[in-house]
């Protein structure tokens, strides 16, 4: 068994590097990193085949009993569901006996049809959806390349998934927009019947700050949704950020990129076979995710030795002095790595959302203490 670093358990594979939408706030296509322009639109069969080998190799070397396979883009459905199915099957047949593979495709839902969902369900591929809310006005910035609204097609796909393929429904990923009413946004998403929600803070940093809310901070937004979720009397849906904040406050293990001190365990394979760090780093500067490695010449253990990955797995040692002295350290963990960046100073800084995270964590702790109520069970991490 290899002893190099903390093994990767989540493999984000760019099966297609282009998107049928042109969301105006997209950090990938509208941000500072433009490396996607020089890569093939779709991952060639040779890249996917070699990636399947590398995943199996890594699982065997580290004795992994479970891995997460995230089929990503761009819009991964542009690669075709048969390609996704073959790739997922290929990974499953190559990993060691006893290693389970949870496969999820993360899509904008506009290309979901009954025929495509039937193929995905047959091959055990779950479907995660990216939306900004459950109303047309919430998704006004999610437009196609001609400037047309994507909402009609997206909501059609989301409803089809919820109604006809609930066993394949992984959940909805939503980026927090403080300009929207938090409770109304949450309630609108519930109407799409997601089994889980991922609430993500926008990719901002000290050199490119996130947009300011109108009279409400991101922490306040999260607190308002938490109160609505916590006070429902029953768990209407999982909210990973909330459940894992509770788990960390109770001293339980939790796995999330936004909270806690657990070593980061995801990597990205681009359409040309390049092995990269998480896409979120592309919101900071050109080439931030670059490792110089690829699946044809390098094993994933080589990526574990990359300085950027070592830093992300260093835990407390990689944090700013202010973070290391903070009483919320074990829960906050310094926040999301990309949110710590400041040009000329790297990533050894508090999160640009430091005050918001403190507001949210203390609020959740206060609710737990005041209610004396058993917390909802923590759930496994990964794309919802």
């Amino acid at each position: 068994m290899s002893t190099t670093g903390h093994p990767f358990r989540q493999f984000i594979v760019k099966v297609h590097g282009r998107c049928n939408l042109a969301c105006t706030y997209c950090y990938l296509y509208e941000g500072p990193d433009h490396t996607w322009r020089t890569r093939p639109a779709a991952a060639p069969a040779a890249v996917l085949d070699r990636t399947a080998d590398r995943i199996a190799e890594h699982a065997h070397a580290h004795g992994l009993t479970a891995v997460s396979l995230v089929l990503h883009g761009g819009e991964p459905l542009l690669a075709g569901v048969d390609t996704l199915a073959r790739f997922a099957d290929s990974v499953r047949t190559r990993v060691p006996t006893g290693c389970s593979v949870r496969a999820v495709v993360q899509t904008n839902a506009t290309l979901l049809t009954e025929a495509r969902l039937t193929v995905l369900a047959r091959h055990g591929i779950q479907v995660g959806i990216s939306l900004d809310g459950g109303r047309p006005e919430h998704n006004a910035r999610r437009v196609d390349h001609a400037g047309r609204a994507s909402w009609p097609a997206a909501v059609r796909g989301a409803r089809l998934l919820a109604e006809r393929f609930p066993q394949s429904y992984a959940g909805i990923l939503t980026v927090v927009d403080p300009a929207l009413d938090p409770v109304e946004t949450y309630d609108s998403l519930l109407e799409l019947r997601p089994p889980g929600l991922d609430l993500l803070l926008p990719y901002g940093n000290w050199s490119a700050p996130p947009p300011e809310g109108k009279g409400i901070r991101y922490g306040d937004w999260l607190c308002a949704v938490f109160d609505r979720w916590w006070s429902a009397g029953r768990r209407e849906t999982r909210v990973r950020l909330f459940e894992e904040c509770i788990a960390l406050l109770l001293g339980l293990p939790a796995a999330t990129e936004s909270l806690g001190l657990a070593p980061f365990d995801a990597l990205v394979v681009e359409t040309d076979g390049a092995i990269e760090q998480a896409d979120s780093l592309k919101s900071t500067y050109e080439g931030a995710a670059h490792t110089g490695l690829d699946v044809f010449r390098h094993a994933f253990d080589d990526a574990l030795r990359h300085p950027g990955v070592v830093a992300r797995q260093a835990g407390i040692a990689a944090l700013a002095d202010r973070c290391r002295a903070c009483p919320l350290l074990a829960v906050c963990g310094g926040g999301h790595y990309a949110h710590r960046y400041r040009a000329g100073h790297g990533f050894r800084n508090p999160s640009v959302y430091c005050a918001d995270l403190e507001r949210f964590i203390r609020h959740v702790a206060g609710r737990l203490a005041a209610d004396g109520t058993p917390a909802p069970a923590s759930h496994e991490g990964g794309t919802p």
Side-chain angles (χ1 to χ4, degrees):
M1 179 181 294
S2 171
T3 58
T4 303
H6 184 86
F8 298 113
R9 299 176 188 274
Q10 182 176 179
F11 302 93
I12 303 165
V13 181
K14 298 293 193 73
V15 291
H16 207 283
R18 305 293 186 270
C19 191
N20 61 326
L21 299 187
C23 303
T24 58
Y25 58 88
C26 181
Y27 72 93
L28 186 58
Y29 301 112
E30 302 295 331
D33 190 291
H34 301 103
T35 52
W36 62 271
R37 297 179 186 273
T38 60
R39 293 191 163 113
V47 167
L48 297 179
D49 185 67
R50 192 60 172 152
T51 300
D53 281 342
R54 291 301 191 192
I55 294 172
E57 175 185 62
H58 198 71
H60 185 272
H62 295 275
L64 302 183
T65 58
V67 299
S68 175
L69 178 64
V70 183
L71 308 172
H72 217 280
E75 171 48 55
L77 291 179
L78 291 174
V81 289
D82 291 336
T83 295
L84 305 185
R86 281 194 300 271
F87 178 54
D89 288 348
S90 178
V91 173
R92 288 192 173 110
T93 59
R94 298 183 199 192
V95 296
T97 301
C99 180
S100 65
V101 178
R102 180 179 184 254
V104 182
V105 58
Q106 190 66 31
T107 174
N108 59 40
T110 60
L111 301 179
L112 292 176
T113 64
E114 183 151 0
R116 288 171 179 148
L117 284 167
T118 298
V119 173
L120 295 173
R122 185 184 308 132
H123 291 269
I125 300 173
Q126 293 187 292
V127 181
I129 293 176
S130 298
L131 285 174
D132 292 342
R135 299 278 185 271
E137 57 270 24
H138 298 159
N139 295 275
R141 297 180 295 171
R142 299 180 67 84
V143 296
D144 67 14
H145 291 273
R148 295 169 298 201
S150 67
W151 173 251
V155 72
R156 226 173 11 248
R159 288 173 177 162
L160 176 65
L161 176 62
E163 293 165 9
R164 302 272 291 125
F165 300 87
Q167 75 283 359
S168 299
Y169 199 175
I172 295 177
L173 183 153
T174 295
V175 176
V176 172
D177 183 349
L180 300 177
D181 180 88
V183 173
E184 195 272 338
T185 300
Y186 173 78
D187 285 339
S188 72
L189 289 167
L190 284 184
E191 294 173 13
L192 298 175
R193 290 150 50 188
L197 289 178
D198 251 2
L199 298 176
L200 303 183
L201 294 170
Y203 287 129
N205 56 70
W206 293 106
S207 296
E212 293 293 332
K214 297 179 179 178
I216 184 169
R217 297 175 62 182
Y218 291 90
D220 295 327
W221 199 99
L222 291 173
C223 290
V225 178
F226 179 84
D227 286 344
R228 163 67 181 82
W229 175 79
W230 182 256
S231 302
R234 61 186 180 89
R235 191 175 65 180
E236 297 165 309
T237 188
R238 303 188 314 271
V239 181
R240 185 170 62 161
L241 181 67
F242 298 168
E243 292 187 348
E244 299 202 345
C245 181
I246 290 169
L248 289 163
L249 284 165
L250 296 177
L252 301 173
T256 177
E257 194 175 0
S258 301
L259 294 175
L261 290 166
F264 187 63
D265 63 359
L267 62 68
V268 176
V269 176
E270 290 283 355
T271 58
D272 60 356
I275 299 171
E276 298 216 329
Q277 299 180 70
D279 265 3
S280 55
L281 293 182
K282 295 181 179 180
S283 66
T284 60
Y285 61 89
E286 176 91 19
H290 182 68
T291 66
L293 309 175
D294 66 74
V295 295
F296 295 104
R297 298 176 299 154
H298 305 95
F300 290 152
D301 268 16
D302 293 322
L304 288 175
R305 291 185 282 269
H306 185 274
V309 174
V310 171
R312 295 203 68 176
Q313 294 196 345
I316 293 174
L319 297 180
D321 291 343
R322 176 176 155 194
C323 294
R324 296 169 71 173
C326 179
L328 300 180
L329 171 63
V331 180
C332 173
H336 196 293
Y337 194 75
H339 297 160
R340 306 175 199 169
Y341 178 72
R342 186 190 295 272
H345 298 273
F347 295 89
R348 201 181 180 91
N349 309 288
S351 169
V352 73
Y353 292 107
C354 178
D356 297 286
L357 291 171
E358 179 176 1
R359 165 86 171 96
F360 168 66
I361 293 168
R362 290 192 183 281
H363 180 79
V364 174
R367 288 301 307 264
L368 285 173
D371 292 0
T373 307
S378 179
H379 286 257
E380 182 181 345
T383 304

